[in-house]
Amino acid sequence: MTHEQQRLAESATIPWKKFGPYLTERQWGTVREDYSPDGNAWDYITHDMARSYAYRWGEEGLGGISDDKQHLCFGVGLWNENDEILKERLFGLTNGEGNHGEDVKELYYYLDSTPTHSYMRMLYKYPQRTFPYQKLLRKNKRRTRQQPEYELLDTGIFDDGRYFDVFIEYAKAGPDDVLIQLTIHNRGPRKARLHVLPQLWFRNTWAWGEGNPTRPQMRTPAPGVVQADHEALGRYHLYCDRQPDLLFCDNDTNYIRLQEPPRATRYFKDGINDYVVEGDPSAVNPAKVGTKAAAHYRLSLEAGTSQTIRVRLSQPTHEAPFAEFDAVFAQRQQEADEFYDCVQESVTDEDSRNIQRQAFAGMLWSKQFYYYDVTKWLDGEPKGPKSSVRRRKGRNANWRHLYNADIISMPDKWEYPWYAAWDSAFHCIPLAMVDAEFAKQQLRLLTKDWYLHPNGQLPAYEWNLSDVNPPVHAWATWRVYQMDKKLRGHGDLQFLEAVFHKLTLNFTWWVNRKDKSERNIFEGGFLGLDNIGVFDRSAPLPTGGHIEQSDGTSWMAMFALNLMRMALELAGTNTVYQEIAGKFFEHFLYIADAMTRGGDGRFDLWDDEDQFYYDVLRTPDDERTILKVRSIVGLIPLFAVEVIDQELLDTVPEFTARAIWLLENRPHLAKLVSRWQEPGRGARHKLSLLRRERLGHVLRRMLDESEFLAPHGIRALSRYHLEHPYVFSTEEDDFEVGYIPGEAESSMFGGNSNWRGPIWFPINFLIIESLQRFHAYYGDSFTIEYPTGSGQLYNLRDVALALSDRLTGLLRQDAQGRRPAFGNTPLLQTDPHFRNHILFHEYFHGDDGHGLGATHQTGWTGLIAKLLSLPASGTTF
């Protein structure tokens, strides 16, 4: 057992995870901080206001950490003597400012982290010239949706090396003792000055009139030392090497600058900014007390040199805080290497190891403290922003039960400082590779009573908790359970059972709310796929009526199979679950029947002419129109597949008897189950929406390079629609779906994501896994041309491996040393200070593979970590 594994084992009783990267890098512009009557979150608290506004629900900082309740926060401030403000937080464009919606306009990388955060490392690239805030805003506003986004790299600000590489590292000497090292490199051709300000502050819990909290305090008991006292957290010290100047103010709103009602505070949140940048000595407290403090280091770096700053945040007191500092850092770095040597045992290629380790780092750095009490948020604050009737009846008004104050896995720390239900499910797969307990905790968290709606709905995401994400929580629960079982040697049945019961409530919600006609055809809305369809599937249709969704119905078939398989596992210790498993087996058959016969025996979601699944528009006059858009909507039926060993069936005789009775007495359902009573390879039985013939048809289209198969994965929309856009006409308008390999060209869902051509990791991952499952049943008896028309036949395991290779090839260096995801940016492709630092984009261009969307969304793109560990056998389950 490595030292890090030992810390993980101890973390149930020793709080090794108490401090971590739980501080978001953007709180401004979030729903929680929005107290406007119209719900325009992006404009209520802007980036310009952020340095002066004390937040209600969370804090933000650059490369920072906090405790797990975010009482005490640490972050880094920088000033290059040219900017008009300190660099304390990340800058980006809001949804209304960018030509493709919101995105961060900074360059930073999460390079390393252990699961307990005993060692962490990140890199922030800070220009030496004036940061081009207004230029980025102005240029993007002028561009159309048909043009690419204007990025920080496009400004040329890094071209001649005139920037600082700021490496921010943490190493824990103990659970309450964090060593912090800042190493700054001058990459430029000449000497440059930099102000570095390690900052410590308390989250403002005292200004809102909630109870009578004791105001915490910081002071300096000795040169170079900040003492921080908090009623709940206790006493901490920030020890600063070389005794820099200490600056103090309060984490309170600058009501003068923001033109708010006067308050008693004199030394505002932005006081340190005003002191350093504007030279205003009256902005900081001369008594050196407050609720926010900074150590002010002034550096002068010759070209090509570096300097290091050391500070230590500790609850234990230290007479000589830096005596063993370097030794502890070196030890934690070595222990991190030892830990990942175990995790990466099957990954031998050095480039792949680097990508995978940074993927884990991004996942672990994106663990955030998330605080949101919807009742308090809706009703307003006793000493803060008031509520209105419109507000109380507006966004999330039906989620008053929701109370979040937890560490949650986020898609990223800037654009998504909030959780999304299906994102979280995918996150748990790579997380389980390094910290299975945290992955299980995340899956349980979303099913807790204070998350799950009383009606059984999972919260979708902050902007609209009532929206609907694909129901993949059960899939992730079963996958994490299997991964954990393999590692531990036995399954965590308590975890499985706890989540299973809550998911049965969620399944019932889907059946009651999204199958309103009770035909087992589901209408889930946009289901996370934004602009995939002809219409906005979450809005009333221009034709009236509703859409019978192939993807929504397939997700539910998959959900039923996941719950069936979980129940069969639980039946090993409680026979009652055999009957429950039978219920989900039967429900799967009903959904499969509905997919085949349209739910009423009159229609089929499968189109015999195209040999593909489509959505169907059903208008109020009961007319049905096939919406012939060749998209991943028609590939999602692949995901509803389960393979059961005969050995397992022998242990659940009640379930087996019920299954056989159904198949013998419901022949129309028996036809849907491909060869149930003819065991496949290794005496296995298959449940799937796709019989062998239909599976072949779907795969031939999917593996066609003129359609779905791209050089780097499976596209979300067939390239067929480049020359053959699908057009649906009404009396008022024409609705068109064409192939768009890059950013969206329409404003549907804000226009900041696109499912009409690009490559998305979560869908590709599920395709690869489904092919593995089909191979587990068919073995080598089922082969398919790969690519279609090539004449080369592969079994499905080898197709899965080939797709995985294409997908991971987005980030791996090719024979020329290029990473497709970096596009045609020479600096990223060739510069030694850029080329091995990885950005995990939200999605990727459908033709050339360059990264798109949220630039730092490790999130579900972190699934690459699992794919890079895929063994030669191609089996992940």
Side-chain angles (χ1 to χ4, degrees), residues 212-231:
N212 295 294
T214 300
R215 189 183 183 98
Q217 187 183 70
M218 294 180 183
R219 66 183 187 88
T220 176
V225 181
V226 177
Q227 178 178 301
D229 292 295
H230 189 278
E231 183 178 38

Side-chain angles (χ1 to χ4, degrees), residues 20 37 169 310 349 362 452 487 503 510 515 684 768 855:
E169 293 178 277
R310 304 185 303 176
D349 174 69
L452 190 72
L487 288 170
L503 288 177
W510 272 89
D515 178 23
R684 291 171 173 172
I768 290 166
T855 54

Side-chain angles (χ1 to χ4, degrees), residues 630 698-715 717-723 739 741 757 759 785-792 794 802-803 806 846-848:
R630 297 180 192 169
V698 170
L699 292 182
R700 276 187 283 276
R701 195 175 294 283
M702 185 184 81
L703 301 176
D704 188 334
E705 291 180 311
S706 68
E707 293 220 30
F708 287 98
L709 183 60
H712 302 291
I714 300 299
R715 303 176 174 103
L717 187 78
S718 171
R719 204 172 188 277
Y720 167 84
H721 291 301
L722 176 65
E723 297 180 359
Y739 175 74
I759 297 160
E785 275 189 315
Y786 175 82
T788 300
S790 68
Q792 303 173 27
Y794 289 80
L803 289 178
R806 288 195 183 214
D847 292 338
D848 62 36

